[in-house]
Amino acid sequence: VISLKSDPKTFDPVSTSTSSANTVMFQIYDSLIHMNEEFEVEPRLAESYKVSDDEKTYTFKLAEGVKFHNGEALKASDVVYSIKRAQKSPYTSAYVDSVDYAEAVDDNTVAVHLTDVDASFLEKIQIIMIVNEKTVKDAGKSYADHPVGTGPYKFVSYKAGVEVKLTITAVRRESKMWITRLSPMTIRLR
């Protein structure tokens, strides 16, 4: 059980930047990479990446076999869609301010083209939570109430002012990408 001081209000990663919402969303969603305390890049949804010679294109190879909580396979187009959404949001656009555009090279490869060299790009891109394009478009405005991610926890329910319930993801990958021992989580709002 985790306690939060305020109500998250939304679970759409481009619709808020509050610490209470982010605490919950970082359990539900995942990002391409993570930077540890020593600022070393660790894989998450991307198992590897390459930087072009001019340092203006980052090419991410997605880990194979990753599925969203609804069973849909993670595709490069989901990453492109998530970056485009982040660019349009006042809450997340600063994290992708150096991105000119992103493209799906194939289903498992994403190229992110920058407008100029950005030494902080990897530090910023780790904040962008990847969503399933089809699910977001199908759900419309109700997506924020029924989030679907690739993180270690799956959204179960939300009672405003009371709690958020999450369960362990049934779709697991036994690799360094995942924490291997988890238990169900209830986040109480106080």
Side-chain angles (χ1 to χ4, degrees):
V1 176
I2 296 174
S3 292
L4 297 177
K5 290 184 179 184
S6 63
D7 210 334
K9 306 275 191 242
T10 182
F11 302 105
D12 184 343
V14 299
S15 297
T16 185
S17 61
T18 65
S19 61
S20 61
N22 284 338
T23 297
V24 176
M25 289 189 298
F26 277 118
Q27 309 309 312
I28 298 169
Y29 299 100
D30 212 344
S31 57
L32 289 171
I33 53 118
H34 173 73
M35 293 186 82
N36 66 23
E37 295 80 22
E38 287 81 39
F39 293 98
E40 299 166 328
V41 175
E42 296 177 341
R44 287 289 175 94
L45 297 177
E47 64 185 12
S48 64
Y49 73 96
K50 292 189 300 189
V51 183
S52 63
D53 290 340
D54 67 359
E55 299 181 8
K56 291 173 30 175
T57 300
Y58 287 73
T59 303
F60 296 92
K61 183 71 173 170
L62 299 179
E64 292 187 27
V66 177
K67 294 188 183 290
F68 286 93
H69 300 151
N70 63 358
E72 296 266 338
L74 169 69
K75 299 183 302 282
S77 58
D78 296 310
V79 176
V80 171
Y81 178 73
S82 298
I83 290 171
K84 285 180 180 177
R85 287 183 86 224
Q87 287 177 307
K88 296 175 186 173
S89 168
Y91 300 105
T92 55
S93 60
Y95 300 115
V96 287
D97 59 355
S98 63
V99 174
D100 184 14
Y101 66 98
E103 65 176 325
V105 176
D106 58 41
D107 278 350
N108 293 312
T109 310
V110 178
V112 180
H113 302 276
L114 307 183
T115 55
D116 205 351
V117 175
D118 181 357
S120 64
F121 173 71
L122 289 174
E123 188 175 350
K124 294 187 294 188
I125 199 70
Q126 73 174 336
I127 303 301
I128 303 305
M129 299 175 208
I130 306 304
V131 298
N132 179 249
E133 179 180 13
K134 180 182 182 306
T135 303
V136 174
K137 286 181 173 179
D138 288 351
K141 292 184 180 188
S142 71
Y143 178 76
D145 299 325
H146 306 284
V148 175
T150 58
Y153 286 94
K154 180 180 178 179
F155 178 82
V156 175
S157 64
Y158 168 60
K159 292 181 185 173
V162 180
E163 68 185 13
V164 179
K165 285 193 177 185
L166 307 175
T167 190
I168 302 164
T169 306
V171 179
R172 305 299 308 151
R173 286 190 57 223
E174 296 301 326
S175 74
K176 58 188 169 186
M177 181 174 126
W178 293 100
I179 300 169
T180 56
R181 294 182 183 194
L182 301 171
S183 58
M185 183 185 300
T186 299
I187 300 171
R188 303 249 187 239
L189 307 171
R190 304 218 188 268

